[in-house]
Amino acid sequence: MLVRWRFRAEVPENLRHGHWQADYNALSAKQRTAMTHEFLADVEVLREAAVCVCTFSSNVGRLVALLRDGPTVSVDVQVGFLVGSIDPRLLLKGDSLARRASRVLRMAREMEKAYPKSHGLPLDLNWPYYASPLSCSERAEDMEIPQSGTDARHCVRMVEDYHLLDFSERLNTSSYVNVVFEPEEERVAMMGLKVNLADQTVYPESFRMHNDTLNMIAKLWHCPKPDDFDEKGCYAGAGTVGSTEACLLAGLALKFRWRKWYAKRKSQSPDQVRGVYPNLVISTMFQAAWEKLFKYMDIEPRFVKPSYKTFILDPNKLKDYIDDQTIGVVCIMGNHYGGQYDPVWEVDAALDKINAEKGLQVGIHVDAASGGFIAPFQDNLPKWDFRLKNVLSISASGHKFGNSCCGTGWVIWRQRKDLSEEVAINVSYLGGSADSYTLNFSRPAQGVYVQFYKLLRLGREGYYSQVNNQMCVAQYLREGLLSVKEGSGSVFTILDAVGMSSQKVCLPVVTAMINPDLGLPFDDIDFQHVIAQGHWYVSGYHMSMHHPLTEETMPLFTDQTCDQAMFRIVVKNNLTMRMAAHLLDEIKAAVAFLINHGKGFQHRKPKRLPTQKSVPVGCSAESRRSSAQPPYLGLRGLGKAAMALAVMAPVRPVPMSPPARPARLRVPAPPRARSGAGPGGVKAAAAAALAAKAAAKVCARKSRSLGYAACMAQDARRADVRTAQVDSAMGVFVQFYKLLRLGREGYTGQVENQMSVAQFLREGLQSIQHNGESVFTLLDAVGMSSQKLCLPVVTAMINPELGLPFDDIDFQHVVAQGHWYVSGYHMSMHHPLTEETTPLFTDQPSEQAMFRIVVKNNLTMRMAANLLDEMKTAVQFLISHGKGFQHRKPKRLHTHKAVPAC
């Protein structure tokens, strides 16, 4: 419908008030532009009429509503694309501005009758969103891409409406994900958003930043320096999309390591070993990432149930679970239920004995999704990281207590041999040769950028101080919960490490349950719902889990039933002492409300808010009654849940007198001075700014339809809650914006433009000749295939029949000197299992090279003309230099002292 941009137009004096009587089609482009400017200069009358609608069939057509200011006019231009079409000559026949304005208004009224609001007819484009037809359009239950695009401002407002109805991310104490960002941090994230970290050859310095960040984290966890560090330039590891991908990679490395060992032990072939079912030992406190590993990678889970008094893996029980098919033991440094640390140091000692007795090589993976950036900054904690010889790998979420943006994770291996090398693949079709260690290939660099920023911004002292503050607030909340009494007993029983376990060092998490000895007529799920009326989200859940393979419901603990509920409060860095005081006031008020309402509350309010007309797929009526949290409903679903909570009861006034702050646990060293002096705030695209604000929306349970989920949710079949894989809501926000912004017509026009530019490049390549023959042979569908429809991609190779003394890789390097990156690569591939180099095609050898040009929407016709000029110059340069060039320049650009390792 509307497109908005700014330009400066020179309006000649003689045209500003002139009147044209000419056939529009007979005019030159310069005359059309001048005529348009003349019309724009006198558009004031149309503003007064409150309706400005005009559609020109050529690109000269403009709809403008702004005052002119002398010969140079600064204009906000708004172009309307109506469903119909108006002949531009009708607007130019009259010799009177009044007649012209009247004619435009009359045509606008006719268009409005022919095309009602539901068809998207734009009225005055200066109107705000709330005065437009969009604000009163009914919500679509089955939304589709609109036919025409929408004004950018209105798209942003619609995204904001969705976001506004979510829970406030800062008041969400259920999630571990970081939600606060400095203005400079947002600028850094916006820079990384445009960089595809998988393309190491094009963005070598961004990948260098990845490796530098990786090295800092490896040293934080005391990883021994690998023997091949001088060759590779970094430790064995990778940045990932959250800790889920990190755990999957670590699990796969353990599996492949075990396969080699088992084949040698049993004298079996690789095919025979693939028929053996391996197992992994882990406690029932596992996060959803491991459920994915068990299901997707054919690994048997062997669960060690802890006591609810400890929440930790018992090393004394390991011997009964480990055999020669065990690939490893997972120790959780900070489980998401209660924040307790598995005693890695005791598990390490137990494995020494078990491996010696049974002749095994079982190692440890430390799942430090939450504790990886907490434990290194806590005192009195035994060795838990690579200082223990059986620890083979460690994973963590950078977007949790690492304070990066959502969708950031890290995995570090002790060494490459038999570990990380087993999960690496080589990619050569992006114009170079690089190793990829991740399950996900293309990914934005924003997580790496922000993590690098945060490590420099805080430093060790800053992280230490931050962790101290969080532990201080957590202790204050524990004491506050214990002070809530009913009769002679405390309403709450503290379950986390500080409350129950002999090991008092844990995450800044407060875990508790309503005291079962009091026999109160409500449970922790009712408690969760009532607190939500005060805008706080505290997650309550039952002490149960579903077996990832059998789907059997089973208790989490050896000494509690599945029906017992609990809740947790995650103390992130944004939960200040003053906010914690307000949360405690809400908790006390919720307890008083529930006690006063008695058993009646249970029956009047379901355990789960029905936020949609129908039960979500895979969700039974019983699970809806018993579930602890809303299902995954997308952004809109959570917004509807918030609305339902808001109308449930009136909001009470809250006492605002904060209690006395408890004594600090220790006095931290001052944090590093703020690095970088940049302008405050980010003047970027509104949709992206919104996405940055919502980037750390809470995490989700398994969602088969969406893969990495972006919102707090629970599998609709489950009555328990786990921290699941997370990804930024940024992609959802921006995709929604783009679908509305462009519409079907906008996408169609964009694709047509891209295909036109691609055809222009093809014709240009064919025009480059040597000795009367074309230098290039086109390989894409338009050039070779009978099926002429394809992507806007130009693929070609240097004509082998010419016998030129250079290939497509040489061509790539010379074109790069003109700042254009055109990827050249050989027609070969590596077999993913045998690593054998094989040809891509039946009729071309592996040594034959080719190149491609991807025509994205930013490659305009003018830019394509410049690219063609550079390619012609490159061909002339290569021909004139002959074979000598091949030997003076390597086939691969070495931008580091060593090949990137991750």
Side-chain angles (χ1 to χ4, degrees):
M1 295 192 355
L2 306 176
V3 183
R4 186 183 182 91
W5 73 95
R6 295 187 65 82
F7 76 110
R8 296 187 67 80
E10 295 291 334
V11 184
E13 184 71 28
N14 62 332
L15 294 179
R16 210 178 310 141
H17 297 289
H19 303 293
W20 288 80
Q21 301 281 344
D23 187 344
Y24 184 79
N25 290 333
L27 299 178
S28 66
K30 184 175 181 180
Q31 289 173 319
R32 294 183 185 185
T33 303
M35 182 181 298
T36 303
H37 289 161
E38 179 261 341
F39 179 69
L40 304 185
D42 292 325
V43 79
E44 176 74 39
V45 154
L46 302 182
R47 287 177 50 113
E48 296 176 0
V51 176
C52 290
V53 177
C54 173
T55 297
F56 282 6
S57 57
S58 78
N59 290 331
V60 181
R62 298 286 193 273
L63 172 61
V64 179
L66 199 69
L67 294 173
R68 57 187 171 83
D69 183 17
T72 300
V73 185
S74 178
V75 191
D76 267 350
V77 183
Q78 308 206 18
V79 179
F81 296 90
L82 302 184
V83 182
S85 177
I86 301 174
D87 189 338
R89 287 170 291 182
L90 295 177
L91 301 175
L92 305 168
K93 285 183 177 179
D95 57 357
S96 163
L97 179 62
R99 292 180 183 177
R100 190 179 307 164
S102 175
R103 189 173 294 110
V104 172
L105 296 176
R106 185 173 66 253
M107 286 188 290
R109 285 193 292 270
E110 292 174 358
M111 292 292 292
E112 188 174 8
K113 292 178 182 178
Y115 299 95
K117 293 179 181 179
S118 61
H119 286 204
L121 177 69
L123 298 179
D124 192 321
L125 307 186
N126 280 328
W127 287 357
Y129 172 69
Y130 299 115
S132 72
L134 289 172
S135 67
C136 64
S137 60
E138 295 184 2
R139 187 188 67 197
E141 293 296 335
D142 186 13
M143 198 168 185
E144 63 178 359
I145 302 175
Q147 185 65 27
S148 301
T150 308
D151 185 278
R153 300 164 302 158
H154 295 177
C155 292
V156 172
R157 178 58 62 185
M158 295 169 75
V159 174
E160 286 177 342
D161 286 351
Y162 278 77
H163 175 57
L164 181 66
L165 298 177
D166 287 334
F167 275 96
S168 170
E169 56 268 21
R170 289 193 64 194
L171 300 183
N172 174 21
T173 68
S174 173
S175 167
Y176 286 84
V177 180
N178 177 49
V179 296
V180 291
F181 304 93
E182 294 177 313
E184 296 85 355
E185 199 171 348
E186 293 182 354
R187 288 174 54 204
V188 168
M190 290 303 301
M191 283 189 278
L193 183 64
K194 303 170 186 176
V195 174
N196 181 7
L197 200 60
D199 203 344
Q200 301 173 24
T201 315
V202 181
Y203 307 113
E205 288 306 307
S206 288
F207 205 79
R208 176 85 174 247
M209 186 192 302
H210 167 278
N211 287 352
D212 290 342
T213 308
L214 189 76
N215 292 345
M216 286 191 279
I217 296 172
K219 292 177 181 177
L220 179 68
W221 297 337
H222 300 97
C223 185
K225 194 170 185 177
D227 297 335
D228 56 359
F229 184 85
D230 291 337
E231 175 193 351
K232 302 295 186 181
C234 68
Y235 289 74
T240 60
V241 183
S243 63
T244 291
E245 187 181 21
C247 290
L248 293 176
L249 288 169
L252 283 172
L254 290 176
K255 181 178 179 179
F256 296 145
R257 173 179 180 264
W258 165 83
R259 275 182 177 174
K260 286 185 175 180
W261 173 85
Y262 192 83
K264 185 176 180 180
R265 179 184 176 97
K266 301 291 185 179
S267 299
Q268 293 184 352
S269 67
D271 288 340
Q272 290 175 316
V273 174
R274 288 191 182 95
V276 181
Y277 193 29
N279 64 73
L280 181 70
V281 178
I282 193 171
S283 83
T284 53
M285 300 291 100
F286 68 95
Q287 59 162 317
W290 298 106
E291 182 174 351
K292 288 179 175 288
L293 181 78
F294 301 141
K295 281 193 171 184
Y296 301 166
M297 314 301 178
D298 281 335
I299 297 174
E300 175 196 355
R302 292 192 174 176
F303 295 123
V304 182
K305 288 185 183 178
S307 166
Y308 86 100
K309 297 179 181 179
T310 64
F311 282 60
I312 63 174
L313 182 71
D314 185 354
N316 297 321
K317 296 181 178 179
L318 287 178
K319 189 174 181 180
D320 298 332
Y321 292 85
I322 293 176
D323 55 28
D324 62 0
Q325 294 177 209
T326 302
I327 65 175
V329 176
V330 176
C331 291
I332 303 172
M333 280 300 287
N335 70 76
H336 57 275
Y337 289 101
Q340 296 88 346
Y341 297 149
D342 280 345
V344 190
W345 47 95
E346 296 179 9
V347 173
D348 179 75
L351 283 180
D352 280 341
K353 297 179 181 179
I354 295 172
N355 286 337
E357 292 175 4
K358 299 185 178 182
L360 306 178
Q361 60 154 22
V362 177
I364 299 171
H365 172 75
V366 178
D367 180 0
S370 300
F373 291 93
I374 293 289
F377 307 107
Q378 291 178 312
D379 298 325
N380 303 319
L381 187 63
K383 296 177 182 179
W384 62 273
D385 50 22
F386 288 111
R387 289 170 290 179
L388 303 176
K389 67 175 184 178
N390 289 313
V391 173
L392 302 178
S393 52
I394 301 176
S395 60
S397 292
H399 58 235
K400 292 179 182 173
F401 295 120
N403 295 156
S404 184
C405 59
C406 197
T408 309
W410 301 95
V411 59
I412 307 289
W413 285 280
R414 176 178 289 273
Q415 61 192 27
R416 288 178 179 82
K417 183 176 174 55
D418 293 335
L419 287 171
S420 64
E421 67 179 8
E422 301 295 338
V423 294
I425 63 167
N426 184 269
V427 179
S428 60
Y429 59 81
L430 292 175
S433 179
D435 290 338
S436 173
Y437 282 75
T438 54
L439 299 176
N440 195 62
F441 187 60
S442 293
R443 62 193 191 279
Q446 64 181 17
V448 171
Y449 277 39
V450 176
Q451 187 73 79
F452 183 79
Y453 170 93
K454 269 296 172 64
L455 293 176
L456 297 182
R457 178 74 179 92
L458 291 173
R460 289 179 179 267
E461 293 177 351
Y463 274 106
Y464 200 93
S465 177
Q466 186 171 268
V467 169
N468 252 324
N469 289 344
Q470 291 170 267
M471 297 303 292
C472 188
V473 173
Q475 183 59 27
Y476 167 72
L477 287 171
R478 289 187 193 97
E479 294 172 358
L481 289 176
L482 291 174
S483 69
V484 181
K485 305 286 185 180
E486 172 61 18
S488 59
S490 177
V491 173
F492 299 105
T493 299
I494 303 297
L495 299 177
D496 57 61
V498 178
M500 299 282 282
S501 173
S502 57
Q503 211 287 91
K504 298 301 182 183
V505 184
C506 64
L507 294 180
V509 173
V510 180
T511 308
M513 67 179 178
I514 294 174
N515 190 345
D517 296 336
L518 296 182
L520 294 173
F522 56 88
D523 64 11
D524 304 74
I525 315 301
D526 299 317
F527 175 67
Q528 165 194 331
H529 290 316
V530 176
I531 291 178
Q533 297 175 23
H535 308 292
W536 284 95
Y537 194 86
V538 175
S539 62
Y541 39 90
H542 290 103
M543 296 182 182
S544 64
M545 60 169 282
H546 279 65
H547 193 285
L549 302 183
T550 66
E551 296 294 333
E552 175 191 3
T553 301
M554 51 190 290
L556 283 175
F557 306 108
T558 58
D559 43 6
Q560 282 290 354
T561 65
C562 294
D563 300 324
Q564 178 60 50
M566 58 190 290
F567 68 91
R568 75 164 181 230
I569 301 171
V570 179
V571 180
K572 293 182 287 190
N573 58 358
N574 67 283
L575 185 57
T576 62
M577 191 67 77
R578 186 183 183 281
M579 294 176 70
H582 183 276
L583 174 57
L584 271 181
D585 290 339
E586 291 293 335
I587 288 174
K588 294 173 183 177
V591 170
F593 173 84
L594 287 165
I595 291 175
N596 291 336
H597 281 72
K599 291 184 177 181
F601 182 82
Q602 279 190 317
H603 302 289
R604 292 205 309 274
K605 181 175 173 49
K607 299 287 178 167
R608 177 179 185 172
L609 292 178
T611 56
Q612 289 188 336
K613 294 186 295 185
S614 59
V615 179
V617 177
C619 177
S620 66
E622 179 60 30
S623 68
R624 287 192 61 176
R625 287 192 294 270
S626 62
S627 177
Q629 285 186 273
Y632 180 82
L633 302 174
L635 301 177
R636 185 175 66 195
L638 290 179
K640 293 160 77 174
M643 293 173 61
L645 291 170
V647 301
M648 203 182 319
V651 178
R652 299 173 292 97
V654 179
M656 297 306 293
S657 55
R661 179 185 173 106
R664 292 181 65 86
L665 300 182
R666 72 177 293 277
V667 180
R672 175 179 296 186
R674 175 178 259 183
S675 60
V682 181
K683 293 183 179 179
L690 270 176
K693 182 179 178 182
K697 279 302 174 190
V698 286
C699 39
R701 191 80 168 100
K702 182 185 69 175
S703 172
R704 292 182 180 176
S705 61
L706 291 182
Y708 294 129
C711 303
M712 165 64 70
Q714 181 179 1
D715 188 307
R717 299 166 296 167
R718 307 298 170 88
D720 63 305
V721 171
R722 295 188 190 280
T723 304
Q725 59 288 344
V726 292
D727 200 358
S728 169
M730 180 177 292
V732 175
F733 278 41
V734 175
Q735 186 69 78
F736 182 77
Y737 170 90
K738 275 296 175 69
L739 292 174
L740 296 181
R741 181 71 183 89
L742 292 174
R744 291 178 179 269
E745 292 178 356
Y747 274 108
T748 300
Q750 184 171 276
V751 171
E752 288 176 352
N753 289 344
Q754 291 170 270
M755 297 304 292
S756 297
V757 172
Q759 185 58 29
F760 170 74
L761 287 171
R762 291 188 190 97
E763 294 172 358
L765 288 175
Q766 288 180 317
S767 70
I768 302 175
Q769 296 191 349
H770 177 66
N771 294 335
E773 295 289 336
S774 180
V775 173
F776 299 103
T777 300
L778 294 179
L779 300 176
D780 56 59
V782 178
M784 299 279 284
S785 172
S786 58
Q787 211 289 86
K788 298 300 182 182
L789 293 179
C790 64
L791 293 177
V793 175
V794 179
T795 309
M797 66 179 178
I798 294 174
N799 191 344
E801 297 178 359
L802 295 180
L804 295 173
F806 56 89
D807 64 9
D808 303 73
I809 314 298
D810 299 316
F811 176 68
Q812 165 193 328
H813 289 316
V814 177
V815 172
Q817 297 175 17
H819 308 291
W820 285 98
Y821 193 87
V822 176
S823 61
Y825 41 92
H826 290 103
M827 297 182 181
S828 62
M829 60 168 282
H830 280 68
H831 192 283
L833 301 182
T834 66
E835 293 296 330
E836 178 188 2
T837 300
T838 60
L840 280 175
F841 306 109
T842 59
D843 46 4
Q844 283 289 354
S846 298
E847 293 77 17
Q848 177 60 50
M850 59 191 290
F851 68 91
R852 75 169 181 216
I853 303 170
V854 180
V855 181
K856 295 182 285 190
N857 57 0
N858 65 293
L859 185 58
T860 63
M861 193 69 77
R862 186 183 183 283
M863 295 174 70
N866 179 268
L867 173 57
L868 271 179
D869 290 341
E870 291 293 336
M871 289 193 288
K872 293 175 183 177
T873 302
V875 170
Q876 294 172 358
F877 173 85
L878 287 165
I879 291 175
S880 63
H881 281 70
K883 293 184 177 181
F885 181 81
Q886 280 190 318
H887 304 286
R888 291 204 310 271
K889 189 169 181 66
K891 297 289 181 177
R892 174 175 179 178
L893 291 177
H894 290 284
T895 55
H896 299 292
K897 62 178 181 179
V899 179
C902 309

